[in-house]
């Protein structure tokens, strides 16, 4: 029985899809004006794992994640780069997909772009105007009447006036109320725009997701997810727009992943602690980043630092070392390890507990290695099967252990050449030279492991 923490109710609930055997899930994607940062990676990996496990349970999942490809930030950045907004967004979309695939994610079933749904956005705004939930202000922009939606604030469990206190909400003379938010904005000359009943313009951010999600999944669907910073105002506004326009309940289960903090501080460019995925990939194997995200339950905050990545690297190396030079059975009968792993995942996708089960399995595998090759082969197959549900252990063990960090020193060919020299020195009984080579490699972070089968290495 799968249980999901629902942000809307603040409780863990038994998951029951609208249509038996089928699950519809929409996740807010990125505004593609820059490279993905580690906060984006947290959300992408979290919902990738959620989607994997939902499918593992036998559900037919329709996973939709949008792309915001029209926005003030995009227009500003494109102008700074002296390129068109379309050129910028196409480059950033391609970069995002590259990053995501390197992190071991499977792409969503559908990735709609806001610019592909302009007529649907305009139609929804028109419906809201006709129902009295929206109006055109004196500036020409179209606004949503937040005060008309009686349940405004239900996602965050706060009243409208409480949410306004201390919130950064634009106060414009053109608006009837400070909480009203823009649905359609007039554009400046030379900016990208679309024709509408209210003049040339482009959509506000919130209305894009309402139009895309309902058109892709229907007016009422199962799961809506996103990062912690989207609960207010973005998701609150999505509920208000969608339910006012359709007259139906919008979403059954709201899911939000935890924040990523850097050395216990909020990540921001002004603090100089802002890291893109590509920044981190320049130093660590992509799976190390994934393990860091997976080692905590998706709703927990993560503290990012070089130290936390090094700890993730060491933990992941323990898993890979257990598989090193290990035969893996073609099939296995699920044991108590699988049962406890699945129980953890059914409890609101608790990957932290699920990972601990993997390490218990590794301890058993290591204990049996010298006793029963057939049993260890079956345990190795079970380990790989469970790890796959988390998107882990997808690399060759030897390759990972040699490339868990990125070194600017010796490449693989250079390391192997020195190992070959050391092997020959030992055959020649030139142990002084053999020790020199070991020390030279150690100084560059290369640890040698001698066995009957030969010498292997890892980066320390």
């Amino acid at each position: 029985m799968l249980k999901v923490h629902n942000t809307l109710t603040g409780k863990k609930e038994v998951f029951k899809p609208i249509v038996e055997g089928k699950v519809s899930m929409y996740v807010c994607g990125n505004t593609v004006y820059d490279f993905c940062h580690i906060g984006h990676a947290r959300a992408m990996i979290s919902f990738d794992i959620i989607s994997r496990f939902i499918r593992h349970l036998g559900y037919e999942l329709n996973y939709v994640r949008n792309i915001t490809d029209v926005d003030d930030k995009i227009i500003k950045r494109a102008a700074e780069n002296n390129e068109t907004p379309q050129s910028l967004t196409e480059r950033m979309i391609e970069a995002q997909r590259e990053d995501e695939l390197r992190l071991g994610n499977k792409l969503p079933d559908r990735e709609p772009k806001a610019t592909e749904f302009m007529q649907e956005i305009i139609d929804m705004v028109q419906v809201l105007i006709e129902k009295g939930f929206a109006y055109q202000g004196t500036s020409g922009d179209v606004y949503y009447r937040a005060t008309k939606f009686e349940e405004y604030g239900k996602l965050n469990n706060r009243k409208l006036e409480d949410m306004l206190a201390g919130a950064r909400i634009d106060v414009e003379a053109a608006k009837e109320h400070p909480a009203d938010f823009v649905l359609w904005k007039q554009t400046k000359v030379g900016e990208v725009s679309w024709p509408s009943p209210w003049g040339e313009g482009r959509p506000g951010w919130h209305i894009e997701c309402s139009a895309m999600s309902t058109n892709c999944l229907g007016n009422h669907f199962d799961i809506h997810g996103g990062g912690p910073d989207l609960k207010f105002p973005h998701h609150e506004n999505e509920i208000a727009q969608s339910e006012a326009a359709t007259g139906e309940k919008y979403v059954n289960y709201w899911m939000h992943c935890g924040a990523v903090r850097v050395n216990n501080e909020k990540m921001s460019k002004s603090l100089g602690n802002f890291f893109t995925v590509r920044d981190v990939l320049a130093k660590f194997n992509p799976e190390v980043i994934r393990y860091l995200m997976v080692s905590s339950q998706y709703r927990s905050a993560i503290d990012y630092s070089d130290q936390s990545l090094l700890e993730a690297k060491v933990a992941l190396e323990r898993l890979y070392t257990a598989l090193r030079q290990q035969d893996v059975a073609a099939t296995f009968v699920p044991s108590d390890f699988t049962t406890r792993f699945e129980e953890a995942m059914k409890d609101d996708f608790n990957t932290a507990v699920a990972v601990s089960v993997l390490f218990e399995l590794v301890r058993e595998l290591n204990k049996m290695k010298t006793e029963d090759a057939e049993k260890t082969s079956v345990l190795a197959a079970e380990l790989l099967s469970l790890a796959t549900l988390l998107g882990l252990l997808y690399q060759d063990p030897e390759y990972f252990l040699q490339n868990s960090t990125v070194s600017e020193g010796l490449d693989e060919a250079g390391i192997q050449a020195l190992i070959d020299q050391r092997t020959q020195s030992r055959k020649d009984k030139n142990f002084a030279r053999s020790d020199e080579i070991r020390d030279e490699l150690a100084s560059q972070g290369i640890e040698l492991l001698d066995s009957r089968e030969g010498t292997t290495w890892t980066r320390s």
Side-chain angles (χ1 to χ4, degrees), residues 188-246:
K188 300 184 177 102
V189 176
E191 290 183 344
V192 59
S193 64
W194 288 263
S196 81
W198 321 285
E200 288 282 329
R202 64 177 182 272
W205 175 36
H206 313 302
I207 195 68
E208 294 176 4
C209 280
S210 287
M212 284 187 279
S213 62
T214 54
N215 275 275
C216 291
L217 297 175
N219 295 342
H220 181 204
F221 55 92
D222 294 305
I223 299 172
H224 194 312
D229 55 329
L230 299 180
K231 286 165 59 178
F232 181 82
H234 185 54
H235 288 164
E236 196 72 65
N237 291 350
E238 270 193 69
I239 292 174
Q241 296 164 160
S242 304
E243 296 191 356
T246 67

Side-chain angles (χ1 to χ4, degrees), residues 74-75 84 98 119 150-151 164 198 231 233 240 242 274 310 313 351 356 395 411 416 421 424:
I74 292 171
I75 293 169
T84 65
E98 289 174 2
Q119 189 56 54
E150 294 180 0
E151 294 185 286
L164 286 175
W198 321 285
K231 286 165 59 178
S242 304
F274 181 90
L310 287 170
K313 167 185 169 290
T351 54
S356 71
Q395 301 179 66
D411 59 14
Q416 191 57 52
Q421 288 181 35
Q424 187 60 49

Side-chain angles (χ1 to χ4, degrees), residues 75-204:
I75 293 169
K76 182 175 183 291
R77 179 63 57 83
E80 292 170 352
N81 293 351
N82 196 28
E83 65 180 321
T84 65
Q86 183 180 4
S87 170
L88 172 64
T89 58
E90 286 178 353
R91 284 195 301 108
M92 292 300 105
I93 290 169
E94 183 60 30
Q96 174 181 296
R97 286 177 178 157
E98 289 174 2
D99 289 348
E100 192 161 14
L101 290 172
R102 291 186 68 189
L103 290 171
N105 276 5
K106 297 179 179 179
L107 296 179
D109 299 302
R110 188 172 178 184
E111 291 184 280
K113 300 175 187 176
T115 54
E116 297 170 342
F117 283 77
M118 208 52 62
Q119 189 56 54
E120 290 82 356
I121 291 169
I122 291 170
D123 290 345
M124 182 171 273
V125 174
Q126 186 63 47
V127 168
L128 290 169
I129 291 174
E130 291 170 359
K131 288 188 171 185
F133 283 94
Y135 62 93
Q136 188 168 18
T138 56
S139 63
D141 295 345
V142 179
Y143 296 95
Y144 182 91
R145 280 194 179 93
T147 53
K148 186 171 175 61
F149 188 69
E150 294 180 0
E151 294 185 286
Y152 193 87
K154 65 181 178 179
L155 180 65
N156 291 269
N157 196 27
R158 298 170 68 191
K159 294 180 179 179
L160 179 61
E161 54 270 23
D162 295 335
M163 287 188 288
L164 286 175
R168 297 174 63 183
I169 296 179
D170 295 332
V171 179
E172 300 174 10
K175 298 199 293 188
E176 295 176 353
H177 188 276
D180 294 350
F181 54 89
V182 69
L183 300 174
W184 188 264
K185 57 174 67 178
Q186 302 296 307
T187 51
K188 300 184 177 102
V189 176
E191 290 183 344
V192 59
S193 64
W194 288 263
S196 81
W198 321 285
E200 288 282 329
R202 64 177 182 272

Side-chain angles (χ1 to χ4, degrees), residues 295-348:
S295 60
S296 297
Q297 201 257 6
Y298 76 96
R299 288 191 294 114
S300 302
I302 286 179
D303 187 44
Y304 168 90
S305 65
D306 279 350
Q307 182 59 37
S308 63
L309 280 169
L310 287 170
E311 290 169 2
K313 167 185 169 290
V314 170
L316 198 50
E317 284 174 342
R318 283 179 58 198
L319 296 178
Y320 269 113
T321 299
L323 291 172
R324 192 178 211 170
Q325 298 176 342
Q326 174 66 54
D327 290 330
V328 179
T331 60
F332 69 94
V333 176
S335 70
D336 181 59
F337 292 115
T338 295
T339 300
R340 290 191 289 115
F341 180 97
E342 290 181 340
E343 284 174 352
M345 292 297 287
K346 287 176 183 176
D347 184 16
D348 195 30

Side-chain angles (χ1 to χ4, degrees), residues 151 157 168 263 353 358 385:
E151 294 185 286
N157 196 27
R168 297 174 63 183
N263 296 319
V353 175
L358 296 186
S385 176

